[in-house]
Amino acid sequence: MSERQLGFSRRQVLAFGGAFGLLTAGGLASAAALAHRPAGTGALLRSAIALPPAFQVPLPRPQVLAPVSTAGGVDRYEITQREAVAEILPGVRTPVWTYGGSFPGPTIEARRGRPTVVTHRNELPVPTVVHLHGGRTPAESDGYPTDLVLPGSWTESGGHHHGGGMADPRAVQSRVVREYTFPNEQRATMLWYHDHRMDFTAPAIWRGLAGLHIIRDDREKELELPDGERELPLVITDRAFRADGSLDYPSLDPGLRDRPGVQEPYMAGVLGDVILVNGAPWPVHEVAAVRHRLRVLNASNARHYELEAVDQDGRALELVQIGADQGLLAAPVTHRRLPLAPAERYDLLVDFGTVPVGGTVRLRNRLGSGRTREVMAFRVVRAQREDTRVPSAPATDLPPWRREDAVRTREFAFRAGKMGEGHGWLIGGRPFDPAREDVSVRLGDVEVWRLIADVHHPVHLHLVGFRILSRGGRAPLPHDAGLKDTVSLRPGEAAEIITGFDGYRGRYLFHCHNAEHEDMGMMANLEVR
Ligand code: C2O
Ligand code: CU
Ligand code: CU
């Protein structure tokens, strides 16, 4: 799709305005702006409905999906994408877009090396495409944004190309059904699947199209980590609600058919004023006074968190990190505060045995204000004998890449800039175009990438995991440890990452995972040859 073929609908929506007050057009944030680095990038959308008190709704656990077949060494699943009505706020009906009727979608549990095949059926009113975030996936199942599954009744309207992706000659489209194959040939970790439709990913995720995909292996089992009830996936999102209970979102086209983009004040990102964990507002969960494994995902479009777990006396519990986006760490890292950018995951051990029975631990967001400072609460309700420990060396299989292994260093600037007649979010000065090749790498090559940001940009690479080599010219931060697939660039910051492009050849992507930035240009093609 060339810039011209995008038509003016996209350019029109990218009018530049107040949300970018920090920036000079096309340039980096000014030194003055950096001096008081903002805690986030985005604008708050306020709910028009009464919000429930915190810590009343029990924490839901996303249900684990049962395979329809396990024959032939493959686990097969079927998921129907459809509209449903969820009770997110107590007593309030909220229409959502779902994987299989629930928000978040069902969790897929996978074994390393045992393939998962998921047949997705699209009964939603718009095209969709599924991407397994963090998955080492063959390109044809990676959910390229124009590889759309069209609804049965879908017709192109108004001469726009966004729904059909007709201007991308390599797009592989289907009607209603598509089968995705995930080999799960990768380290044990918690991945997530979500919609990735060209220009409309942000509103589709906001409406509910996200779920977990957990890969397990023998190594992880040997560690005897807290499991069962003591292993808690926590999908953290923010949302806003209209007076009628529906989800609010500032789309220019509420039908998400033709005209992409959001209203101008929200172009830097949409922030909600309600914090949901596993689809419940500020939930509460009863725990025994023992170590728990918290598997945290920030599935918010644009909101950043800095998590802390504070007990009733105001003491911050240790958040013992044993894993990152792409699996277990070589050594645990203890945090009192943990930054969490969109799409990042952390594998944490938290010992509620340090809290007296009857005590409460609140998970808080230090970057929030007012009610968005709270995330959820744990009530410690009973004693229990501890039978787990913190592994001193969770993993021994981290890739050994060193800087001198890199055959090439590349540099990419992530910044606001001119896009058509308006402005958008650009990588290396250009907005996304599926028809253009941006980066071509050789299968097996190790490369160093230097990523530079104006405002916050959580940068994500498909196909690979990487290690963070440096941040702001210094050593990485404690939470940068391990194998990552998303690196959170802070305003004015440059970071270096190192990765080896193994796995599969084909067309992949890298992009900002602020979902609004992603939809408004900040994505690029990565061809593995
Ligand atoms: Cu979770 Cu291409 O993204
Ligand atoms: Cu991804
Ligand atoms: Cu961004």
Tab-separated table of all heavy atoms in Angstrom, residues 179-220:
chain	number	residue	atom	x	y	z
A	179	GLU	N	-6.434	-21.301	9.848
A	179	GLU	CA	-5.722	-22.164	10.783
A	179	GLU	C	-4.335	-21.563	11.022
A	179	GLU	O	-3.634	-21.235	10.080
A	179	GLU	CB	-5.596	-23.531	10.122
A	179	GLU	CG	-5.160	-24.629	11.030
A	179	GLU	CD	-5.139	-25.958	10.289
A	179	GLU	OE1	-6.198	-26.608	10.228
A	179	GLU	OE2	-4.079	-26.329	9.757
A	180	TYR	N	-3.975	-21.427	12.288
A	180	TYR	CA	-2.664	-20.906	12.662
A	180	TYR	C	-1.874	-22.023	13.335
A	180	TYR	O	-2.382	-22.695	14.242
A	180	TYR	CB	-2.810	-19.752	13.656
A	180	TYR	CG	-3.494	-18.516	13.093
A	180	TYR	CD1	-4.878	-18.390	13.120
A	180	TYR	CD2	-2.746	-17.473	12.554
A	180	TYR	CE1	-5.498	-17.252	12.623
A	180	TYR	CE2	-3.360	-16.330	12.048
A	180	TYR	CZ	-4.740	-16.226	12.095
A	180	TYR	OH	-5.343	-15.097	11.596
A	181	THR	N	-0.615	-22.191	12.918
A	181	THR	CA	0.237	-23.223	13.509
A	181	THR	C	1.345	-22.583	14.337
A	181	THR	O	2.109	-21.755	13.828
A	181	THR	CB	0.865	-24.096	12.405
A	181	THR	OG1	-0.195	-24.717	11.676
A	181	THR	CG2	1.756	-25.180	13.003
A	182	PHE	N	1.421	-22.969	15.602
A	182	PHE	CA	2.452	-22.458	16.500
A	182	PHE	C	3.307	-23.636	16.958
A	182	PHE	O	2.846	-24.474	17.735
A	182	PHE	CB	1.803	-21.767	17.706
A	182	PHE	CG	0.825	-20.689	17.315
A	182	PHE	CD1	-0.536	-20.831	17.575
A	182	PHE	CD2	1.259	-19.547	16.652
A	182	PHE	CE1	-1.433	-19.846	17.193
A	182	PHE	CE2	0.365	-18.555	16.260
A	182	PHE	CZ	-0.986	-18.707	16.536
A	183	PRO	N	4.565	-23.721	16.482
A	183	PRO	CA	5.393	-24.890	16.810
A	183	PRO	C	5.757	-24.989	18.294
A	183	PRO	O	6.078	-26.071	18.774
A	183	PRO	CB	6.643	-24.672	15.959
A	183	PRO	CG	6.227	-23.727	14.872
A	183	PRO	CD	5.189	-22.846	15.491
A	184	ASN	N	5.747	-23.874	19.016
A	184	ASN	CA	6.155	-23.855	20.432
A	184	ASN	C	7.583	-24.355	20.627
A	184	ASN	O	7.921	-24.870	21.691
A	184	ASN	CB	5.187	-24.681	21.310
A	184	ASN	CG	3.761	-24.172	21.241
A	184	ASN	OD1	3.536	-22.973	21.335
A	184	ASN	ND2	2.813	-25.076	21.059
A	185	GLU	N	8.412	-24.200	19.595
A	185	GLU	CA	9.839	-24.555	19.684
A	185	GLU	C	10.576	-23.366	20.272
A	185	GLU	O	11.268	-22.648	19.562
A	185	GLU	CB	10.407	-24.851	18.286
A	185	GLU	CG	9.965	-26.141	17.660
A	185	GLU	CD	10.696	-27.354	18.191
A	185	GLU	OE1	11.451	-27.241	19.193
A	185	GLU	OE2	10.483	-28.441	17.621
A	186	GLN	N	10.420	-23.152	21.540
A	186	GLN	CA	11.059	-22.005	22.175
A	186	GLN	C	11.012	-22.194	23.681
A	186	GLN	O	10.364	-23.097	24.171
A	186	GLN	CB	10.365	-20.713	21.762
A	186	GLN	CG	8.869	-20.655	22.087
A	186	GLN	CD	8.211	-19.401	21.510
A	186	GLN	OE1	7.582	-19.422	20.463
A	186	GLN	NE2	8.360	-18.287	22.228
A	187	ARG	N	11.729	-21.316	24.402
A	187	ARG	CA	11.824	-21.449	25.848
A	187	ARG	C	10.446	-21.310	26.490
A	187	ARG	O	9.578	-20.599	25.982
A	187	ARG	CB	12.773	-20.373	26.392
A	187	ARG	CG	14.104	-20.360	25.666
A	187	ARG	CD	14.982	-19.216	26.107
A	187	ARG	NE	15.574	-19.490	27.396
A	187	ARG	CZ	15.495	-18.693	28.449
A	187	ARG	NH1	14.835	-17.568	28.380
A	187	ARG	NH2	16.082	-19.022	29.568
A	188	ALA	N	10.270	-21.962	27.609
A	188	ALA	CA	9.011	-21.866	28.340
A	188	ALA	C	8.796	-20.422	28.768
A	188	ALA	O	9.690	-19.769	29.309
A	188	ALA	CB	9.057	-22.770	29.574
A	189	THR	N	7.600	-19.903	28.506
A	189	THR	CA	7.283	-18.534	28.921
A	189	THR	C	5.806	-18.259	28.722
A	189	THR	O	5.065	-19.117	28.236
A	189	THR	CB	8.134	-17.505	28.137
A	189	THR	OG1	7.978	-16.214	28.722
A	189	THR	CG2	7.735	-17.461	26.672
A	190	MET	N	5.386	-17.067	29.120
A	190	MET	CA	3.995	-16.676	28.916
A	190	MET	C	3.920	-15.706	27.736
A	190	MET	O	4.455	-14.613	27.791
A	190	MET	CB	3.421	-16.012	30.170
A	190	MET	CG	1.923	-15.744	30.055
A	190	MET	SD	1.200	-15.116	31.604
A	190	MET	CE	1.522	-13.360	31.430
A	191	LEU	N	3.261	-16.147	26.677
A	191	LEU	CA	3.028	-15.310	25.502
A	191	LEU	C	1.586	-14.824	25.545
A	191	LEU	O	0.810	-15.237	26.390
A	191	LEU	CB	3.269	-16.127	24.232
A	191	LEU	CG	4.574	-16.913	24.148
A	191	LEU	CD1	4.623	-17.735	22.860
A	191	LEU	CD2	5.773	-15.986	24.235
A	192	TRP	N	1.243	-13.974	24.616
A	192	TRP	CA	-0.180	-13.612	24.485
A	192	TRP	C	-0.544	-13.488	23.027
A	192	TRP	O	0.306	-13.181	22.194
A	192	TRP	CB	-0.520	-12.386	25.304
A	192	TRP	CG	0.156	-11.077	25.003
A	192	TRP	CD1	1.503	-10.826	24.996
A	192	TRP	CD2	-0.480	-9.828	24.701
A	192	TRP	NE1	1.724	-9.492	24.734
A	192	TRP	CE2	0.520	-8.850	24.546
A	192	TRP	CE3	-1.815	-9.426	24.574
A	192	TRP	CZ2	0.252	-7.520	24.257
A	192	TRP	CZ3	-2.091	-8.096	24.296
A	192	TRP	CH2	-1.056	-7.163	24.139
A	193	TYR	N	-1.786	-13.803	22.730
A	193	TYR	CA	-2.247	-13.651	21.353
A	193	TYR	C	-3.223	-12.490	21.319
A	193	TYR	O	-3.961	-12.245	22.270
A	193	TYR	CB	-2.853	-14.956	20.818
A	193	TYR	CG	-4.066	-15.495	21.552
A	193	TYR	CD1	-5.356	-15.278	21.071
A	193	TYR	CD2	-3.925	-16.233	22.733
A	193	TYR	CE1	-6.468	-15.783	21.730
A	193	TYR	CE2	-5.038	-16.736	23.399
A	193	TYR	CZ	-6.309	-16.508	22.895
A	193	TYR	OH	-7.404	-16.996	23.554
A	194	HIS	N	-3.151	-11.755	20.208
A	194	HIS	CA	-4.041	-10.597	20.097
A	194	HIS	C	-4.267	-10.260	18.634
A	194	HIS	O	-3.567	-10.750	17.751
A	194	HIS	CB	-3.470	-9.403	20.870
A	194	HIS	CG	-2.130	-8.908	20.409
A	194	HIS	ND1	-1.945	-8.194	19.247
A	194	HIS	CD2	-0.888	-9.027	20.967
A	194	HIS	CE1	-0.669	-7.877	19.117
A	194	HIS	NE2	0.016	-8.389	20.141
A	195	ASP	N	-5.245	-9.420	18.390
A	195	ASP	CA	-5.535	-9.008	17.025
A	195	ASP	C	-4.409	-8.123	16.503
A	195	ASP	O	-3.702	-7.459	17.278
A	195	ASP	CB	-6.872	-8.261	16.969
A	195	ASP	CG	-7.375	-8.150	15.543
A	195	ASP	OD1	-7.633	-9.201	14.934
A	195	ASP	OD2	-7.468	-7.018	15.015
A	196	HIS	N	-4.194	-8.128	15.179
A	196	HIS	CA	-3.088	-7.357	14.590
A	196	HIS	C	-3.503	-6.755	13.252
A	196	HIS	O	-2.673	-6.548	12.367
A	196	HIS	CB	-1.876	-8.277	14.396
A	196	HIS	CG	-0.551	-7.618	14.646
A	196	HIS	ND1	-0.135	-6.476	13.997
A	196	HIS	CD2	0.461	-7.950	15.495
A	196	HIS	CE1	1.079	-6.153	14.429
A	196	HIS	NE2	1.458	-7.026	15.344
A	197	ARG	N	-4.779	-6.450	13.105
A	197	ARG	CA	-5.277	-5.931	11.826
A	197	ARG	C	-4.662	-4.572	11.495
A	197	ARG	O	-4.608	-3.678	12.343
A	197	ARG	CB	-6.796	-5.802	11.914
A	197	ARG	CG	-7.458	-5.186	10.705
A	197	ARG	CD	-8.945	-4.983	10.986
A	197	ARG	NE	-9.581	-4.174	9.975
A	197	ARG	CZ	-10.710	-3.498	10.180
A	197	ARG	NH1	-11.310	-3.560	11.371
A	197	ARG	NH2	-11.248	-2.777	9.226
A	198	MET	N	-4.256	-4.434	10.266
A	198	MET	CA	-3.698	-3.186	9.749
A	198	MET	C	-4.572	-2.001	10.130
A	198	MET	O	-5.776	-2.002	9.876
A	198	MET	CB	-3.634	-3.312	8.233
A	198	MET	CG	-3.263	-2.054	7.507
A	198	MET	SD	-1.494	-2.005	7.246
A	198	MET	CE	-1.374	-0.432	6.417
A	199	ASP	N	-3.977	-1.007	10.775
A	199	ASP	CA	-4.622	0.269	11.123
A	199	ASP	C	-5.654	0.178	12.259
A	199	ASP	O	-6.151	1.213	12.708
A	199	ASP	CB	-5.338	0.923	9.923
A	199	ASP	CG	-4.389	1.363	8.823
A	199	ASP	OD1	-3.172	1.475	9.085
A	199	ASP	OD2	-4.868	1.597	7.702
A	200	PHE	N	-6.064	-1.007	12.675
A	200	PHE	CA	-7.153	-1.127	13.650
A	200	PHE	C	-6.815	-2.047	14.824
A	200	PHE	O	-7.706	-2.565	15.491
A	200	PHE	CB	-8.426	-1.644	12.966
A	200	PHE	CG	-9.041	-0.667	11.998
A	200	PHE	CD1	-8.786	-0.763	10.636
A	200	PHE	CD2	-9.863	0.354	12.457
A	200	PHE	CE1	-9.348	0.140	9.740
A	200	PHE	CE2	-10.439	1.260	11.568
A	200	PHE	CZ	-10.174	1.159	10.202
A	201	THR	N	-5.525	-2.268	15.069
A	201	THR	CA	-5.150	-3.154	16.170
A	201	THR	C	-5.563	-2.582	17.522
A	201	THR	O	-6.086	-3.297	18.379
A	201	THR	CB	-3.622	-3.394	16.118
A	201	THR	OG1	-3.322	-4.143	14.936
A	201	THR	CG2	-3.139	-4.161	17.327
A	202	ALA	N	-5.338	-1.297	17.712
A	202	ALA	CA	-5.590	-0.699	19.032
A	202	ALA	C	-7.050	-0.840	19.461
A	202	ALA	O	-7.328	-1.350	20.549
A	202	ALA	CB	-5.135	0.758	19.046
A	203	PRO	N	-8.012	-0.433	18.630
A	203	PRO	CA	-9.405	-0.576	19.073
A	203	PRO	C	-9.840	-2.034	19.187
A	203	PRO	O	-10.711	-2.355	20.004
A	203	PRO	CB	-10.209	0.166	17.995
A	203	PRO	CG	-9.303	0.262	16.811
A	203	PRO	CD	-7.904	0.319	17.367
A	204	ALA	N	-9.251	-2.936	18.391
A	204	ALA	CA	-9.650	-4.352	18.467
A	204	ALA	C	-9.186	-4.967	19.784
A	204	ALA	O	-9.919	-5.725	20.427
A	204	ALA	CB	-9.090	-5.121	17.280
A	205	ILE	N	-7.962	-4.636	20.199
A	205	ILE	CA	-7.483	-5.137	21.493
A	205	ILE	C	-8.317	-4.513	22.612
A	205	ILE	O	-8.733	-5.198	23.551
A	205	ILE	CB	-5.980	-4.833	21.674
A	205	ILE	CG1	-5.144	-5.641	20.675
A	205	ILE	CG2	-5.536	-5.137	23.104
A	205	ILE	CD1	-3.642	-5.368	20.739
A	206	TRP	N	-8.573	-3.230	22.486
A	206	TRP	CA	-9.365	-2.523	23.508
A	206	TRP	C	-10.730	-3.184	23.691
A	206	TRP	O	-11.225	-3.343	24.791
A	206	TRP	CB	-9.520	-1.058	23.065
A	206	TRP	CG	-10.189	-0.133	24.025
A	206	TRP	CD1	-11.537	0.100	24.161
A	206	TRP	CD2	-9.548	0.742	24.990
A	206	TRP	NE1	-11.763	1.054	25.120
A	206	TRP	CE2	-10.568	1.464	25.640
A	206	TRP	CE3	-8.215	0.976	25.334
A	206	TRP	CZ2	-10.295	2.409	26.635
A	206	TRP	CZ3	-7.950	1.919	26.321
A	206	TRP	CH2	-8.980	2.619	26.968
A	207	ARG	N	-11.334	-3.606	22.581
A	207	ARG	CA	-12.656	-4.238	22.677
A	207	ARG	C	-12.593	-5.648	23.246
A	207	ARG	O	-13.639	-6.244	23.524
A	207	ARG	CB	-13.321	-4.281	21.307
A	207	ARG	CG	-13.801	-2.911	20.883
A	207	ARG	CD	-14.489	-2.949	19.539
A	207	ARG	NE	-14.731	-1.586	19.089
A	207	ARG	CZ	-15.750	-1.224	18.303
A	207	ARG	NH1	-16.615	-2.127	17.901
A	207	ARG	NH2	-15.888	0.028	17.939
A	208	GLY	N	-11.402	-6.211	23.354
A	208	GLY	CA	-11.304	-7.493	24.045
A	208	GLY	C	-10.480	-8.578	23.394
A	208	GLY	O	-10.361	-9.673	23.952
A	209	LEU	N	-9.902	-8.330	22.225
A	209	LEU	CA	-9.247	-9.425	21.493
A	209	LEU	C	-7.813	-9.671	21.983
A	209	LEU	O	-6.837	-9.287	21.333
A	209	LEU	CB	-9.286	-9.155	19.995
A	209	LEU	CG	-10.702	-9.163	19.390
A	209	LEU	CD1	-10.638	-8.906	17.888
A	209	LEU	CD2	-11.409	-10.499	19.660
A	210	ALA	N	-7.703	-10.314	23.132
A	210	ALA	CA	-6.398	-10.681	23.692
A	210	ALA	C	-6.569	-11.882	24.617
A	210	ALA	O	-7.574	-11.999	25.315
A	210	ALA	CB	-5.797	-9.508	24.468
A	211	GLY	N	-5.583	-12.770	24.595
A	211	GLY	CA	-5.605	-13.928	25.485
A	211	GLY	C	-4.190	-14.444	25.710
A	211	GLY	O	-3.254	-14.029	25.009
A	212	LEU	N	-4.030	-15.356	26.662
A	212	LEU	CA	-2.700	-15.863	27.018
A	212	LEU	C	-2.399	-17.190	26.330
A	212	LEU	O	-3.300	-17.984	26.047
A	212	LEU	CB	-2.609	-16.068	28.537
A	212	LEU	CG	-2.761	-14.809	29.389
A	212	LEU	CD1	-2.816	-15.181	30.864
A	212	LEU	CD2	-1.616	-13.835	29.110
A	213	HIS	N	-1.115	-17.407	26.119
A	213	HIS	CA	-0.620	-18.662	25.545
A	213	HIS	C	0.643	-18.987	26.351
A	213	HIS	O	1.647	-18.282	26.241
A	213	HIS	CB	-0.311	-18.427	24.065
A	213	HIS	CG	0.234	-19.615	23.331
A	213	HIS	ND1	-0.422	-20.204	22.259
A	213	HIS	CD2	1.389	-20.303	23.466
A	213	HIS	CE1	0.313	-21.200	21.785
A	213	HIS	NE2	1.419	-21.293	22.501
A	214	ILE	N	0.565	-20.005	27.177
A	214	ILE	CA	1.668	-20.312	28.094
A	214	ILE	C	2.400	-21.551	27.600
A	214	ILE	O	1.779	-22.583	27.326
A	214	ILE	CB	1.136	-20.522	29.526
A	214	ILE	CG1	0.448	-19.230	30.016
A	214	ILE	CG2	2.259	-20.941	30.470
A	214	ILE	CD1	-0.216	-19.348	31.378
A	215	ILE	N	3.729	-21.431	27.467
A	215	ILE	CA	4.544	-22.583	27.065
A	215	ILE	C	5.283	-23.096	28.293
A	215	ILE	O	5.885	-22.315	29.030
A	215	ILE	CB	5.546	-22.198	25.957
A	215	ILE	CG1	4.796	-21.629	24.742
A	215	ILE	CG2	6.390	-23.412	25.548
A	215	ILE	CD1	5.719	-21.186	23.620
A	216	ARG	N	5.205	-24.394	28.511
A	216	ARG	CA	5.880	-25.005	29.666
A	216	ARG	C	6.898	-26.024	29.175
A	216	ARG	O	6.762	-26.571	28.084
A	216	ARG	CB	4.847	-25.676	30.572
A	216	ARG	CG	3.767	-24.692	31.034
A	216	ARG	CD	2.921	-25.263	32.148
A	216	ARG	NE	1.850	-24.342	32.507
A	216	ARG	CZ	1.969	-23.344	33.380
A	216	ARG	NH1	3.125	-23.121	33.999
A	216	ARG	NH2	0.961	-22.559	33.658
A	217	ASP	N	7.921	-26.281	30.016
A	217	ASP	CA	8.899	-27.321	29.657
A	217	ASP	C	9.404	-28.036	30.913
A	217	ASP	O	9.006	-27.700	32.034
A	217	ASP	CB	10.042	-26.745	28.808
A	217	ASP	CG	10.944	-25.793	29.579
A	217	ASP	OD1	10.768	-25.632	30.797
A	217	ASP	OD2	11.834	-25.195	28.940
A	218	ASP	N	10.271	-29.017	30.712
A	218	ASP	CA	10.734	-29.845	31.820
A	218	ASP	C	11.613	-29.060	32.785
A	218	ASP	O	11.574	-29.275	33.993
A	218	ASP	CB	11.496	-31.057	31.297
A	218	ASP	CG	10.578	-31.994	30.526
A	218	ASP	OD1	9.357	-31.964	30.806
A	218	ASP	OD2	11.063	-32.724	29.646
A	219	ARG	N	12.439	-28.183	32.218
A	219	ARG	CA	13.321	-27.389	33.060
A	219	ARG	C	12.512	-26.599	34.101
A	219	ARG	O	12.824	-26.589	35.286
A	219	ARG	CB	14.133	-26.424	32.184
A	219	ARG	CG	14.870	-25.342	32.945
A	219	ARG	CD	15.962	-25.936	33.808
A	219	ARG	NE	16.495	-24.938	34.741
A	219	ARG	CZ	17.353	-25.207	35.693
A	219	ARG	NH1	17.774	-26.448	35.879
A	219	ARG	NH2	17.795	-24.266	36.486
A	220	GLU	N	11.464	-25.985	33.613
A	220	GLU	CA	10.631	-25.186	34.502
A	220	GLU	C	10.012	-26.084	35.578
A	220	GLU	O	9.937	-25.714	36.745
A	220	GLU	CB	9.549	-24.522	33.652
A	220	GLU	CG	8.755	-23.488	34.394
A	220	GLU	CD	7.517	-23.043	33.645
A	220	GLU	OE1	7.414	-23.264	32.430
A	220	GLU	OE2	6.652	-22.485	34.300
